[in-house]
Amino acid sequence: MSREYGETWVYESLVGGIPGLGISRTLAVALQFVIFEVGVVALGWYYGVWNAVAAGTVAVVVAAVGSVEMHRLGAKNRLLGTPPEHKRLLFGSSIEIVLGVLAFIALVTYLFAWDGTLINRLFGVDPPIPVVYLTLLVLWDLTYRIGTSWWSAVVALWRAVHVDLPSEERATVRRLDAENIGFSLVQLALAPFLLSEPVLLGAVVGHVIAVALVCGAAILLT
């Protein structure tokens, strides 16, 4: 099915818009996971920062699950008989990028300007530059998908209030909203690594609760 401008996530556009790179969604997610995970393990071994390998692996897995969910949410939302306003709001506004950037900047500010104990605990007092680079790359990948999850929840509530769906599509959108809740719950896998970081732990748990409440409201109103 052809996709018009403004009918895809930015992530989908990058995967599908590179000339000559005709790879499937499954292969794209698999490559994402393998490249990041090999980097995490290789740098952990080379620099001896094994404390960071488990946390990095969980972050890579959560980001990969987010990629799968973005593909699923994108494909299924494009099949809905919702008005153009819904798809423009969900895809064309690119607000998921804005939310991802804001979350990433807030995270980096916390790590390097507010409280650097998490960095020190994982990488030591003098973290190697390649390790920091890969860490920031994985964290951006993660925060972008978290931003997309939140924006999907907000648009789902808008859709539930403003769009009168035919009865045969209501079950579909309820499943989509439930899937978004499921992805947010997957993010709780990060919680064990944040037990000594109450601000980050509260941000993750608060996000999960917010997505569950907003998507739950959308399910009830649909």
CSV table of all heavy atoms in Angstrom, one decimal, residues 94-147:
chain,number,residue,atom,x,y,z
A,94,SER,N,4.4,15.1,13.5
A,94,SER,CA,5.7,14.7,14.0
A,94,SER,C,6.0,15.1,15.4
A,94,SER,O,7.1,15.4,15.9
A,94,SER,CB,6.8,15.3,13.1
A,94,SER,OG,6.7,14.8,11.8
A,95,ILE,N,4.9,15.3,16.2
A,95,ILE,CA,5.1,15.7,17.6
A,95,ILE,C,5.8,14.6,18.4
A,95,ILE,O,6.4,14.9,19.4
A,95,ILE,CB,3.7,16.0,18.2
A,95,ILE,CG1,3.2,17.3,17.6
A,95,ILE,CG2,3.8,16.2,19.7
A,95,ILE,CD1,1.9,17.8,18.1
A,96,GLU,N,5.7,13.3,17.9
A,96,GLU,CA,6.5,12.3,18.7
A,96,GLU,C,8.0,12.6,18.7
A,96,GLU,O,8.7,12.3,19.7
A,96,GLU,CB,6.2,10.9,18.0
A,96,GLU,CG,7.0,10.5,16.8
A,96,GLU,CD,6.5,11.1,15.5
A,96,GLU,OE1,5.6,11.8,15.5
A,96,GLU,OE2,7.1,10.7,14.5
A,97,ILE,N,8.5,13.3,17.6
A,97,ILE,CA,9.9,13.7,17.6
A,97,ILE,C,10.1,14.7,18.7
A,97,ILE,O,11.1,14.7,19.4
A,97,ILE,CB,10.3,14.2,16.2
A,97,ILE,CG1,10.5,13.0,15.3
A,97,ILE,CG2,11.5,15.1,16.3
A,97,ILE,CD1,11.8,12.3,15.5
A,98,VAL,N,9.2,15.7,18.7
A,98,VAL,CA,9.4,16.8,19.7
A,98,VAL,C,9.4,16.2,21.1
A,98,VAL,O,10.2,16.6,22.0
A,98,VAL,CB,8.2,17.8,19.6
A,98,VAL,CG1,8.3,18.9,20.6
A,98,VAL,CG2,8.3,18.5,18.2
A,99,LEU,N,8.4,15.3,21.4
A,99,LEU,CA,8.4,14.7,22.8
A,99,LEU,C,9.6,13.9,23.0
A,99,LEU,O,10.1,13.9,24.2
A,99,LEU,CB,7.1,13.8,22.9
A,99,LEU,CG,5.8,14.6,22.8
A,99,LEU,CD1,4.6,13.6,22.8
A,99,LEU,CD2,5.6,15.6,24.0
A,100,GLY,N,10.1,13.2,22.0
A,100,GLY,CA,11.3,12.4,22.2
A,100,GLY,C,12.5,13.3,22.5
A,100,GLY,O,13.3,13.0,23.4
A,101,VAL,N,12.6,14.4,21.7
A,101,VAL,CA,13.7,15.3,22.0
A,101,VAL,C,13.7,15.9,23.4
A,101,VAL,O,14.7,16.0,24.1
A,101,VAL,CB,13.7,16.4,20.9
A,101,VAL,CG1,14.7,17.6,21.3
A,101,VAL,CG2,14.1,15.9,19.5
A,102,LEU,N,12.5,16.3,23.8
A,102,LEU,CA,12.3,16.9,25.1
A,102,LEU,C,12.7,15.9,26.2
A,102,LEU,O,13.4,16.3,27.2
A,102,LEU,CB,10.9,17.4,25.3
A,102,LEU,CG,10.5,18.6,24.5
A,102,LEU,CD1,9.0,19.0,24.7
A,102,LEU,CD2,11.4,19.9,24.8
A,103,ALA,N,12.3,14.7,26.0
A,103,ALA,CA,12.6,13.7,27.0
A,103,ALA,C,14.1,13.4,27.0
A,103,ALA,O,14.7,13.2,28.1
A,103,ALA,CB,11.8,12.4,26.7
A,104,PHE,N,14.7,13.3,25.9
A,104,PHE,CA,16.1,13.0,25.8
A,104,PHE,C,16.9,14.1,26.4
A,104,PHE,O,17.9,13.9,27.2
A,104,PHE,CB,16.5,12.8,24.3
A,104,PHE,CG,18.0,12.5,24.1
A,104,PHE,CD1,18.5,11.3,24.5
A,104,PHE,CD2,18.8,13.5,23.5
A,104,PHE,CE1,19.8,11.0,24.3
A,104,PHE,CE2,20.2,13.2,23.4
A,104,PHE,CZ,20.7,12.0,23.7
A,105,ILE,N,16.6,15.4,26.1
A,105,ILE,CA,17.3,16.5,26.7
A,105,ILE,C,17.2,16.5,28.2
A,105,ILE,O,18.1,16.8,28.9
A,105,ILE,CB,16.9,17.9,26.1
A,105,ILE,CG1,17.3,17.9,24.6
A,105,ILE,CG2,17.4,19.1,26.8
A,105,ILE,CD1,16.7,19.1,23.9
A,106,ALA,N,16.0,16.3,28.7
A,106,ALA,CA,15.8,16.2,30.1
A,106,ALA,C,16.6,15.1,30.8
A,106,ALA,O,17.2,15.3,31.8
A,106,ALA,CB,14.3,16.0,30.4
A,107,LEU,N,16.7,14.0,30.1
A,107,LEU,CA,17.5,12.8,30.6
A,107,LEU,C,19.0,13.2,30.6
A,107,LEU,O,19.7,13.0,31.6
A,107,LEU,CB,17.2,11.6,29.7
A,107,LEU,CG,18.1,10.4,30.1
A,107,LEU,CD1,17.8,9.9,31.5
A,107,LEU,CD2,17.8,9.2,29.1
A,108,VAL,N,19.5,13.8,29.5
A,108,VAL,CA,20.9,14.1,29.5
A,108,VAL,C,21.2,15.2,30.5
A,108,VAL,O,22.3,15.2,31.2
A,108,VAL,CB,21.3,14.6,28.1
A,108,VAL,CG1,22.7,15.2,28.1
A,108,VAL,CG2,21.2,13.5,27.1
A,109,THR,N,20.3,16.2,30.7
A,109,THR,CA,20.5,17.2,31.7
A,109,THR,C,20.6,16.6,33.1
A,109,THR,O,21.5,16.9,33.9
A,109,THR,CB,19.3,18.2,31.7
A,109,THR,OG1,19.3,18.8,30.4
A,109,THR,CG2,19.5,19.3,32.7
A,110,TYR,N,19.7,15.6,33.4
A,110,TYR,CA,19.8,14.9,34.7
A,110,TYR,C,21.1,14.2,34.8
A,110,TYR,O,21.7,14.3,35.9
A,110,TYR,CB,18.6,14.0,34.8
A,110,TYR,CG,18.6,13.1,36.0
A,110,TYR,CD1,18.1,13.6,37.2
A,110,TYR,CD2,19.2,11.9,36.0
A,110,TYR,CE1,18.2,12.9,38.4
A,110,TYR,CE2,19.3,11.1,37.2
A,110,TYR,CZ,18.8,11.6,38.4
A,110,TYR,OH,18.8,10.8,39.5
A,111,LEU,N,21.5,13.4,33.8
A,111,LEU,CA,22.7,12.6,33.9
A,111,LEU,C,24.0,13.4,34.1
A,111,LEU,O,24.8,13.0,34.9
A,111,LEU,CB,22.8,11.7,32.7
A,111,LEU,CG,21.7,10.6,32.5
A,111,LEU,CD1,22.0,9.8,31.2
A,111,LEU,CD2,21.7,9.6,33.7
A,112,PHE,N,24.1,14.5,33.4
A,112,PHE,CA,25.4,15.2,33.4
A,112,PHE,C,25.4,16.5,34.2
A,112,PHE,O,26.5,17.0,34.5
A,112,PHE,CB,25.8,15.5,31.9
A,112,PHE,CG,26.1,14.2,31.2
A,112,PHE,CD1,25.2,13.7,30.3
A,112,PHE,CD2,27.3,13.6,31.3
A,112,PHE,CE1,25.4,12.6,29.6
A,112,PHE,CE2,27.6,12.4,30.6
A,112,PHE,CZ,26.6,11.9,29.7
A,113,ALA,N,24.3,17.1,34.5
A,113,ALA,CA,24.3,18.3,35.2
A,113,ALA,C,23.6,18.3,36.6
A,113,ALA,O,23.9,19.1,37.4
A,113,ALA,CB,23.5,19.4,34.3
A,114,TRP,N,22.7,17.3,36.8
A,114,TRP,CA,21.9,17.3,38.0
A,114,TRP,C,22.5,16.2,38.9
A,114,TRP,O,22.9,16.5,40.0
A,114,TRP,CB,20.5,17.0,37.7
A,114,TRP,CG,19.6,17.1,39.0
A,114,TRP,CD1,20.0,17.3,40.3
A,114,TRP,CD2,18.2,17.0,39.0
A,114,TRP,NE1,18.9,17.3,41.1
A,114,TRP,CE2,17.8,17.1,40.4
A,114,TRP,CE3,17.2,16.8,38.0
A,114,TRP,CZ2,16.5,17.0,40.8
A,114,TRP,CZ3,15.9,16.7,38.4
A,114,TRP,CH2,15.5,16.8,39.8
A,115,ASP,N,22.6,15.0,38.4
A,115,ASP,CA,23.1,13.9,39.3
A,115,ASP,C,23.8,12.9,38.4
A,115,ASP,O,23.1,12.2,37.6
A,115,ASP,CB,21.9,13.3,40.0
A,115,ASP,CG,22.3,12.2,41.0
A,115,ASP,OD1,23.5,11.8,41.0
A,115,ASP,OD2,21.5,11.8,41.8
A,116,GLY,N,25.1,12.8,38.5
A,116,GLY,CA,25.8,11.9,37.6
A,116,GLY,C,26.1,10.6,38.3
A,116,GLY,O,27.0,9.8,37.8
A,117,THR,N,25.4,10.2,39.3
A,117,THR,CA,25.8,9.0,40.0
A,117,THR,C,25.5,7.7,39.2
A,117,THR,O,26.2,6.7,39.3
A,117,THR,CB,25.0,8.9,41.3
A,117,THR,OG1,23.6,9.0,41.1
A,117,THR,CG2,25.4,10.0,42.3
A,118,LEU,N,24.4,7.8,38.3
A,118,LEU,CA,24.1,6.7,37.5
A,118,LEU,C,25.2,6.4,36.5
A,118,LEU,O,25.6,5.2,36.3
A,118,LEU,CB,22.8,6.9,36.7
A,118,LEU,CG,22.3,5.7,35.8
A,118,LEU,CD1,22.1,4.5,36.6
A,118,LEU,CD2,21.0,6.1,35.1
A,119,ILE,N,25.7,7.5,35.9
A,119,ILE,CA,26.9,7.3,34.9
A,119,ILE,C,28.1,6.7,35.6
A,119,ILE,O,28.7,5.8,35.1
A,119,ILE,CB,27.2,8.7,34.3
A,119,ILE,CG1,26.1,9.2,33.4
A,119,ILE,CG2,28.5,8.6,33.5
A,119,ILE,CD1,25.9,8.3,32.1
A,120,ASN,N,28.4,7.3,36.8
A,120,ASN,CA,29.5,6.8,37.6
A,120,ASN,C,29.3,5.3,38.0
A,120,ASN,O,30.3,4.5,37.9
A,120,ASN,CB,29.8,7.6,38.8
A,120,ASN,CG,30.2,9.0,38.5
A,120,ASN,OD1,30.7,9.3,37.4
A,120,ASN,ND2,30.0,10.0,39.4
A,121,ARG,N,28.1,5.0,38.4
A,121,ARG,CA,27.9,3.6,38.8
A,121,ARG,C,28.0,2.6,37.7
A,121,ARG,O,28.5,1.5,37.9
A,121,ARG,CB,26.5,3.5,39.4
A,121,ARG,CG,26.1,2.1,39.9
A,121,ARG,CD,25.0,2.2,40.9
A,121,ARG,NE,23.8,3.0,40.4
A,121,ARG,CZ,22.8,2.4,39.7
A,121,ARG,NH1,22.9,1.2,39.4
A,121,ARG,NH2,21.8,3.2,39.3
A,122,LEU,N,27.6,3.0,36.5
A,122,LEU,CA,27.7,2.1,35.3
A,122,LEU,C,29.0,2.0,34.6
A,122,LEU,O,29.5,1.0,34.2
A,122,LEU,CB,26.6,2.4,34.3
A,122,LEU,CG,25.1,2.2,34.8
A,122,LEU,CD1,24.2,2.7,33.7
A,122,LEU,CD2,24.8,0.8,35.1
A,123,PHE,N,29.6,3.2,34.5
A,123,PHE,CA,30.8,3.3,33.7
A,123,PHE,C,32.1,3.8,34.4
A,123,PHE,O,33.2,3.8,33.8
A,123,PHE,CB,30.6,4.3,32.5
A,123,PHE,CG,29.4,4.1,31.7
A,123,PHE,CD1,28.5,5.1,31.5
A,123,PHE,CD2,29.1,2.8,31.2
A,123,PHE,CE1,27.3,4.9,30.7
A,123,PHE,CE2,28.0,2.6,30.5
A,123,PHE,CZ,27.1,3.6,30.2
A,124,GLY,N,32.0,4.1,35.7
A,124,GLY,CA,33.1,4.6,36.4
A,124,GLY,C,33.2,6.2,36.3
A,124,GLY,O,32.5,6.8,35.6
A,125,VAL,N,34.2,6.7,37.0
A,125,VAL,CA,34.3,8.2,37.1
A,125,VAL,C,34.9,8.8,35.8
A,125,VAL,O,34.7,10.0,35.6
A,125,VAL,CB,35.2,8.6,38.3
A,125,VAL,CG1,34.6,8.2,39.6
A,125,VAL,CG2,36.6,8.0,38.1
A,126,ASP,N,35.5,8.0,34.9
A,126,ASP,CA,36.1,8.5,33.7
A,126,ASP,C,35.6,7.6,32.5
A,126,ASP,O,36.3,6.8,32.0
A,126,ASP,CB,37.6,8.5,33.7
A,126,ASP,CG,38.2,9.2,32.5
A,126,ASP,OD1,37.5,10.0,31.9
A,126,ASP,OD2,39.4,8.9,32.3
A,127,PRO,N,34.3,7.7,32.1
A,127,PRO,CA,33.7,6.8,31.2
A,127,PRO,C,34.4,7.0,29.8
A,127,PRO,O,34.6,8.1,29.3
A,127,PRO,CB,32.2,7.2,31.1
A,127,PRO,CG,32.2,8.6,31.6
A,127,PRO,CD,33.3,8.7,32.6
A,128,PRO,N,34.6,5.8,29.1
A,128,PRO,CA,35.2,5.9,27.7
A,128,PRO,C,34.3,6.6,26.8
A,128,PRO,O,33.1,6.4,26.8
A,128,PRO,CB,35.5,4.5,27.4
A,128,PRO,CG,35.4,3.7,28.7
A,128,PRO,CD,34.5,4.5,29.5
A,129,ILE,N,34.9,7.4,25.8
A,129,ILE,CA,34.1,8.2,24.9
A,129,ILE,C,33.2,7.2,24.0
A,129,ILE,O,32.0,7.6,23.8
A,129,ILE,CB,35.0,9.0,24.0
A,129,ILE,CG1,35.6,10.2,24.9
A,129,ILE,CG2,34.2,9.6,22.8
A,129,ILE,CD1,36.6,11.1,24.1
A,130,PRO,N,33.7,6.1,23.5
A,130,PRO,CA,32.8,5.3,22.7
A,130,PRO,C,31.6,4.7,23.4
A,130,PRO,O,30.5,4.6,22.9
A,130,PRO,CB,33.7,4.2,22.2
A,130,PRO,CG,35.1,4.7,22.2
A,130,PRO,CD,35.1,5.6,23.4
A,131,VAL,N,31.8,4.5,24.7
A,131,VAL,CA,30.7,4.0,25.6
A,131,VAL,C,29.7,5.0,25.8
A,131,VAL,O,28.5,4.8,25.7
A,131,VAL,CB,31.3,3.5,26.9
A,131,VAL,CG1,30.2,3.1,27.9
A,131,VAL,CG2,32.2,2.3,26.7
A,132,VAL,N,30.1,6.3,26.0
A,132,VAL,CA,29.2,7.4,26.2
A,132,VAL,C,28.4,7.6,24.9
A,132,VAL,O,27.2,7.8,24.9
A,132,VAL,CB,29.9,8.7,26.6
A,132,VAL,CG1,29.0,9.8,26.7
A,132,VAL,CG2,30.6,8.5,28.0
A,133,TYR,N,29.1,7.6,23.8
A,133,TYR,CA,28.4,7.8,22.5
A,133,TYR,C,27.3,6.7,22.2
A,133,TYR,O,26.2,7.1,21.9
A,133,TYR,CB,29.5,7.7,21.4
A,133,TYR,CG,28.9,7.9,20.0
A,133,TYR,CD1,28.8,9.2,19.4
A,133,TYR,CD2,28.4,6.8,19.2
A,133,TYR,CE1,28.3,9.4,18.2
A,133,TYR,CE2,27.9,7.0,18.0
A,133,TYR,CZ,27.8,8.3,17.4
A,133,TYR,OH,27.3,8.5,16.2
A,134,LEU,N,27.7,5.5,22.4
A,134,LEU,CA,26.7,4.4,22.2
A,134,LEU,C,25.5,4.5,23.2
A,134,LEU,O,24.4,4.3,22.9
A,134,LEU,CB,27.3,3.0,22.3
A,134,LEU,CG,26.4,1.8,22.1
A,134,LEU,CD1,25.8,1.9,20.7
A,134,LEU,CD2,27.1,0.5,22.3
A,135,THR,N,25.9,4.9,24.5
A,135,THR,CA,24.8,5.0,25.5
A,135,THR,C,23.8,6.1,25.1
A,135,THR,O,22.6,5.9,25.2
A,135,THR,CB,25.5,5.4,26.8
A,135,THR,OG1,26.3,4.3,27.2
A,135,THR,CG2,24.4,5.6,27.9
A,136,LEU,N,24.3,7.3,24.6
A,136,LEU,CA,23.4,8.3,24.2
A,136,LEU,C,22.6,8.0,23.0
A,136,LEU,O,21.4,8.3,22.9
A,136,LEU,CB,24.2,9.6,24.0
A,136,LEU,CG,24.9,10.3,25.2
A,136,LEU,CD1,25.7,11.5,24.7
A,136,LEU,CD2,23.9,10.6,26.2
A,137,LEU,N,23.2,7.2,22.1
A,137,LEU,CA,22.5,6.7,20.9
A,137,LEU,C,21.3,5.8,21.3
A,137,LEU,O,20.2,6.0,20.8
A,137,LEU,CB,23.4,6.0,20.0
A,137,LEU,CG,22.9,5.6,18.6
A,137,LEU,CD1,22.4,6.9,17.8
A,137,LEU,CD2,23.9,4.9,17.8
A,138,VAL,N,21.6,4.9,22.2
A,138,VAL,CA,20.6,3.9,22.7
A,138,VAL,C,19.5,4.7,23.5
A,138,VAL,O,18.3,4.4,23.3
A,138,VAL,CB,21.2,2.8,23.5
A,138,VAL,CG1,20.1,2.0,24.2
A,138,VAL,CG2,22.1,1.9,22.7
A,139,LEU,N,19.9,5.6,24.3
A,139,LEU,CA,18.9,6.4,25.1
A,139,LEU,C,18.1,7.3,24.2
A,139,LEU,O,16.9,7.4,24.5
A,139,LEU,CB,19.7,7.3,26.1
A,139,LEU,CG,20.3,6.6,27.3
A,139,LEU,CD1,21.1,7.5,28.2
A,139,LEU,CD2,19.3,5.8,28.1
A,140,TRP,N,18.6,7.8,23.1
A,140,TRP,CA,17.8,8.6,22.2
A,140,TRP,C,16.7,7.6,21.5
A,140,TRP,O,15.6,8.0,21.4
A,140,TRP,CB,18.6,9.3,21.1
A,140,TRP,CG,17.8,9.6,19.9
A,140,TRP,CD1,17.8,9.0,18.7
A,140,TRP,CD2,16.7,10.5,19.9
A,140,TRP,NE1,16.9,9.6,17.8
A,140,TRP,CE2,16.1,10.5,18.5
A,140,TRP,CE3,16.1,11.4,20.8
A,140,TRP,CZ2,15.0,11.2,18.2
A,140,TRP,CZ3,15.0,12.1,20.4
A,140,TRP,CH2,14.5,12.1,19.1
A,141,ASP,N,17.2,6.5,21.1
A,141,ASP,CA,16.3,5.5,20.5
A,141,ASP,C,15.2,5.2,21.4
A,141,ASP,O,14.0,5.1,21.0
A,141,ASP,CB,17.1,4.2,20.1
A,141,ASP,CG,16.5,3.4,19.0
A,141,ASP,OD1,16.0,4.0,18.0
A,141,ASP,OD2,16.4,2.2,19.1
A,142,LEU,N,15.5,5.0,22.7
A,142,LEU,CA,14.5,4.7,23.7
A,142,LEU,C,13.6,5.8,24.0
A,142,LEU,O,12.3,5.6,24.0
A,142,LEU,CB,15.2,4.3,25.0
A,142,LEU,CG,14.4,3.6,26.1
A,142,LEU,CD1,13.8,2.3,25.6
A,142,LEU,CD2,15.4,3.3,27.3
A,143,THR,N,14.1,7.0,24.2
A,143,THR,CA,13.2,8.1,24.5
A,143,THR,C,12.3,8.5,23.3
A,143,THR,O,11.2,8.9,23.5
A,143,THR,CB,14.0,9.4,24.9
A,143,THR,OG1,15.0,9.7,23.9
A,143,THR,CG2,14.7,9.2,26.2
A,144,TYR,N,12.8,8.3,22.1
A,144,TYR,CA,11.9,8.6,20.9
A,144,TYR,C,10.7,7.6,20.9
A,144,TYR,O,9.6,8.1,20.7
A,144,TYR,CB,12.7,8.4,19.6
A,144,TYR,CG,11.9,8.4,18.4
A,144,TYR,CD1,11.1,9.5,18.1
A,144,TYR,CD2,11.9,7.3,17.5
A,144,TYR,CE1,10.3,9.5,16.9
A,144,TYR,CE2,11.2,7.4,16.3
A,144,TYR,CZ,10.3,8.4,16.1
A,144,TYR,OH,9.5,8.4,14.9
A,145,ARG,N,10.9,6.4,21.2
A,145,ARG,CA,9.8,5.4,21.2
A,145,ARG,C,8.9,5.7,22.4
A,145,ARG,O,7.7,5.5,22.3
A,145,ARG,CB,10.4,4.0,21.2
A,145,ARG,CG,10.7,3.6,19.8
A,145,ARG,CD,12.0,2.7,19.7
A,145,ARG,NE,12.3,2.4,18.3
A,145,ARG,CZ,12.9,3.3,17.5
A,145,ARG,NH1,13.3,4.4,18.0
A,145,ARG,NH2,13.2,2.9,16.3
A,146,ILE,N,9.4,6.1,23.5
A,146,ILE,CA,8.6,6.5,24.6
A,146,ILE,C,7.7,7.7,24.3
A,146,ILE,O,6.5,7.8,24.6
A,146,ILE,CB,9.4,6.7,25.9
A,146,ILE,CG1,10.0,5.4,26.4
A,146,ILE,CG2,8.6,7.4,27.0
A,146,ILE,CD1,11.0,5.6,27.6
A,147,GLY,N,8.3,8.7,23.6
A,147,GLY,CA,7.6,9.8,23.1
A,147,GLY,C,6.5,9.5,22.2
A,147,GLY,O,5.4,10.0,22.2
